[in-house]
Amino acid sequence: MITGRVNADYEAIVVLDLQGHTGEKRRLEAVVDTGFSGFLTVTPAIVTELALPFLMTGRAILADGSEARFPVRSAVVLWDDQPVSVEVEAADTTLLIGMRLLEGYRLCADSHDGGRVTIEQLP
């Protein structure tokens, strides 16, 4: 089981370890975003620090109808004590955990400042 907390902005926060191509690791605090259908977003600085290898250029349609293009990188995240290969989107934004990383898991959050967040594998 993965645990986290709800912060003062009512965001579900989880800490995870991200590993780069050559073994470097970084502990990250990320917001669980059920509106994000990808795996994970990180900043370009983290991409550089961990030397995450380029996979492809991704694209998304934003809420205003405009299109955004962004680099997609490869990484390994320690998820529920297991290494998982993921696609990481590089963006100057808050670090986000998306629904693809949550696939096969149940997310529960006590919605108040300091509330408990749990992510557990489905039976």
Side-chain angles (χ1 to χ4, degrees):
M1 180 180 354
I2 300 161
T3 61
R5 63 176 170 70
V6 174
N7 67 14
D9 293 324
Y10 293 90
E11 297 169 322
I13 305 294
V14 174
V15 175
L16 50 81
D17 291 317
L18 188 67
Q19 182 175 325
H21 181 65
T22 56
E24 307 86 3
K25 290 182 183 173
R26 173 92 185 268
R27 180 152 285 195
L28 304 172
E29 192 171 88
V31 174
V32 177
D33 182 354
T34 60
F36 169 44
S37 61
F39 286 99
L40 188 65
T41 65
V42 299
T43 63
I46 293 170
V47 167
T48 300
E49 178 185 333
L50 296 178
L52 301 180
F54 180 82
L55 287 176
M56 67 186 132
T57 299
R59 73 178 195 90
I61 305 299
L62 304 178
D64 66 2
S66 64
E67 180 180 279
R69 293 188 177 272
F70 49 86
V72 178
R73 306 292 179 139
S74 175
V76 173
V77 65
L78 190 60
W79 187 251
D80 202 14
D81 295 325
Q82 299 297 316
V84 177
S85 295
V86 296
E87 294 175 0
V88 176
E89 298 177 13
D92 282 318
T93 186
T94 303
L95 279 63
L96 300 174
I97 294 170
M99 292 299 287
R100 297 250 341 248
L101 193 52
L102 291 170
E103 183 177 1
Y105 284 80
R106 175 180 293 121
L107 167 67
C108 295
D110 297 334
S111 189
H112 61 85
D113 186 7
R116 183 176 164 96
V117 173
T118 58
I119 302 170
E120 58 185 330
Q121 192 167 22
L122 293 171

